[in-house]
Amino acid sequence: MRPGGQPNLQQMMKQAQKMQQQIATAQAELAEAELTGTAGGGLVTVTISGAGEVKAIKIDPKAVDPEDVETLEDLVLAAVHNAHDEVRKLTEEKMGPVTGGMGGLGLPGL
């Protein structure tokens, strides 16, 4: 604060600009990240980008039972949810220190 109780606007602008750069860096790191979710003890594996885009799904042949497709569907869904949890954790890790707990600041809801 400057004399008279007025905030230093120039200093505030520098801080905001620095924070904006840190957010952009964290977002770029998230976009490049690939995370993995698994289900069924590794029978189903889902690879997802830090932006939440599903990149790959791998299914162990042991998980395929033509008479029980429902279980396989559940395993795929569980692996996708697990991968999204990993994205959320990484997002909190990368963005938390930058935003100081101010929320996602425009990040997609994960």
Side-chain angles (χ1 to χ4, degrees), residues 5-68:
Q6 296 297 316
N8 183 335
L9 192 56
Q10 188 175 19
Q11 183 64 27
M12 288 175 57
M13 292 298 289
K14 284 182 182 180
Q15 288 175 336
Q17 190 173 35
K18 181 180 178 184
M19 185 179 194
Q20 187 176 23
Q21 289 170 341
Q22 290 172 327
I23 290 171
T25 299
Q27 287 174 325
E29 289 173 3
L30 284 168
E32 292 178 14
E34 286 195 355
L35 301 121
T36 304
T38 61
L43 291 175
V44 176
T45 302
V46 172
T47 303
I48 192 169
S49 75
E53 179 185 353
V54 175
K55 296 288 197 173
I57 298 175
K58 301 221 185 256
I59 300 172
D60 187 306
K62 292 180 227 163
V64 181
D65 179 354
E67 295 185 25
D68 187 14

Side-chain angles (χ1 to χ4, degrees), residues 59-78:
I59 300 172
D60 187 306
K62 292 180 227 163
V64 181
D65 179 354
E67 295 185 25
D68 187 14
V69 175
E70 197 171 300
T71 296
L72 179 56
E73 292 169 342
D74 289 343
L75 288 173
V76 170
L77 186 59

